[in-house]
Amino acid sequence: MKMCTLCPRNCAVDRAGGERGICGQTEQLKVARAALHYWEEPCISGESGSGAVFFSGCALHCVFCQNRSIANGTAGKEITKERLAEIFLELQEKGANNINLVTPGHFAPQITEALCRAKKEGLRLPVVYNTSSYESADTIKSLEGLVDIYLPDFKYISPALSAKYSHASDYADVAKAAVAEMVRQCPRPVFDGDEAEDPIEEGLLMRQGVIVRHLLLPGCTRDSKAVIKYLYETYGNQIYLSIMNQYTPLENVSAYPELNRKVTDEEYEEVVDYAIGLGVEQGFIQEGETAEESFIPAFDGEGV
């Protein structure tokens, strides 16, 4: 934290001394919401909900960010590591299926301490690491043994798209290394009742594994296909793929008119059909009208 290189931006600021990194945060933990969350993949949310803890700040800065108020750090409350451990235990008491750490990478050392403390005090739930994948592989390595389920995005293959929309031309290379480390730690999916022939169809909860998400962007079907091709050819059935059509054009994309619309049914079906044609069987798709703001919770400090 005195010379922070937790993320690939490597901005090397003194966060311990109060400086803010590209993530927008100092060393001080800041959390915007801690509550049961029902909008993850079915094997994560289940019927009881996922215990989602939304951390303030982000190093990626996507122009279309759906959680902009927390990504830019304007929403959230400063807390101690001890309070974070308490929050984990409170979510367990509320019946959460897991502890879901949302955009946590820039607070990885503090979260590690809080998880160790909570586990000593009775935390027994699986821990989910929910990330953009713009992560240092070394930071992911530091979580080995503490994280049970990795829930990374894989946003782009194209350096031109990732530079334009996330200010990170190196996104694909960084994400490839980060996901590789996640799969090394969690090399196969494990579910409750792991003997089930189709755990998703039977509504079982995941206990260990990697689910890689890809959010379609308007007009970017070619890159979406490239993402899916890379993931399937690299990992096959070691991972689950989640192909999402919930992109919501918010006011922050006004300067990018090509993004100022929803993904069409035809675009989404084209990408899903491509995945099926490749042979993808372990996956999630979204049906119906999912591109709604209802997927964006209120970052009002609940549970913090």
Side-chain angles (χ1 to χ4, degrees), residues 80-89 109-124 146:
T80 64
K81 291 174 285 189
E82 292 75 19
R83 174 59 190 146
L84 183 58
E86 290 173 357
I87 287 171
F88 296 154
L89 294 168
Q110 299 93 317
I111 292 170
T112 295
E113 290 186 42
L115 281 172
C116 290
R117 183 185 184 97
K119 286 175 180 286
K120 288 179 182 178
E121 295 179 6
L123 181 67
R124 58 187 181 279
L146 289 173

Side-chain angles (χ1 to χ4, degrees), residues 58 66 117 122 140 170 190 220 226 239 256 269 271 285 304:
C58 180
Q66 310 287 277
R117 183 185 184 97
I140 300 300
D170 60 346
V190 177
C220 296
I239 65 173
Y256 301 86
E269 288 168 7
V271 173
I285 61 173
V304 182

Side-chain angles (χ1 to χ4, degrees), residues 261-299:
R261 65 171 176 86
K262 298 178 181 180
V263 171
T264 66
D265 291 343
E266 291 75 18
E267 286 173 319
Y268 188 61
E269 288 168 7
E270 179 183 341
V271 173
V272 170
D273 288 346
Y274 176 79
I276 293 170
L278 278 180
V280 175
E281 294 181 347
Q282 292 188 171
F284 300 92
I285 61 173
Q286 293 180 320
E287 297 177 336
E289 185 57 58
T290 54
E292 298 177 353
E293 290 191 32
S294 60
F295 277 84
I296 305 170
F299 299 116

Side-chain angles (χ1 to χ4, degrees), residues 14 19 27 60 62 125 132 160 217 219 233 237 276:
D14 182 8
E19 293 182 12
E27 182 183 46
L60 195 51
C62 299
L125 298 177
S132 70
L217 296 177
E233 290 184 348
N237 289 335
I276 293 170

Side-chain angles (χ1 to χ4, degrees), residues 3-197:
M3 191 173 179
C4 187
T5 55
L6 282 173
C7 86
R9 301 289 190 191
N10 290 320
C11 56
V13 302
D14 182 8
R15 290 174 61 195
E19 293 182 12
R20 295 186 183 276
I22 291 176
C23 61
Q25 301 301 302
T26 67
E27 182 183 46
Q28 179 64 56
L29 274 167
K30 193 173 183 181
V31 175
R33 179 181 172 89
L36 297 178
H37 190 65
Y38 299 92
W39 302 326
E40 308 289 27
E41 285 72 11
C43 63
I44 302 295
S45 291
E47 295 184 1
S48 301
S50 178
V53 182
F54 290 85
F55 293 90
S56 299
C58 180
L60 195 51
H61 305 299
C62 299
V63 300
F64 53 84
C65 182
Q66 310 287 277
N67 295 340
R68 195 177 188 188
S69 65
I70 60 168
N72 65 19
T74 56
K77 177 182 177 182
E78 294 185 349
I79 62 171
T80 64
K81 291 174 285 189
E82 292 75 19
R83 174 59 190 146
L84 183 58
E86 290 173 357
I87 287 171
F88 296 154
L89 294 168
E90 288 167 6
L91 288 168
Q92 179 171 265
E93 287 298 311
K94 291 176 181 176
N97 292 315
N98 43 60
I99 299 299
N100 185 351
L101 309 170
V102 185
T103 318
H106 49 289
F107 289 127
Q110 299 93 317
I111 292 170
T112 295
E113 290 186 42
L115 281 172
C116 290
R117 183 185 184 97
K119 286 175 180 286
K120 288 179 182 178
E121 295 179 6
L123 181 67
R124 58 187 181 279
L125 298 177
V127 174
V128 180
Y129 195 86
N130 189 334
T131 171
S132 70
S133 289
Y134 199 61
E135 299 264 11
S136 162
D138 286 339
T139 297
I140 300 300
K141 285 178 185 177
S142 74
L143 301 164
E144 187 167 8
L146 289 173
V147 171
D148 304 283
I149 300 166
Y150 283 100
L151 194 58
D153 294 336
F154 205 112
K155 296 179 182 292
Y156 321 91
I157 287 290
S158 164
L161 287 178
S162 62
K164 184 176 184 180
Y165 296 142
S166 294
H167 313 291
S169 60
D170 60 346
Y171 176 86
D173 289 339
V174 167
K176 286 177 181 180
V179 171
E181 174 58 24
M182 296 172 193
V183 176
R184 184 193 70 79
Q185 292 180 26
C186 303
R188 75 179 186 92
V190 177
F191 295 84
D192 286 340
D194 202 37
E195 69 282 354
E197 184 174 335

Side-chain angles (χ1 to χ4, degrees), residues 215-284:
L215 176 68
L216 268 72
L217 296 177
C220 296
T221 54
R222 179 180 296 182
D223 197 60
S224 291
K225 291 176 183 178
V227 168
I228 291 166
K229 185 174 190 289
Y230 167 76
L231 290 169
Y232 183 66
E233 290 184 348
T234 305
Y235 298 111
N237 289 335
Q238 284 186 279
I239 65 173
Y240 274 76
L241 291 176
S242 183
I243 305 173
M244 304 187 298
N245 70 344
Q246 69 190 54
Y247 171 77
T248 304
L250 303 177
E251 61 181 16
N252 40 303
V253 297
S254 58
Y256 301 86
E258 71 275 19
L259 295 182
N260 200 20
R261 65 171 176 86
K262 298 178 181 180
V263 171
T264 66
D265 291 343
E266 291 75 18
E267 286 173 319
Y268 188 61
E269 288 168 7
E270 179 183 341
V271 173
V272 170
D273 288 346
Y274 176 79
I276 293 170
L278 278 180
V280 175
E281 294 181 347
Q282 292 188 171
F284 300 92

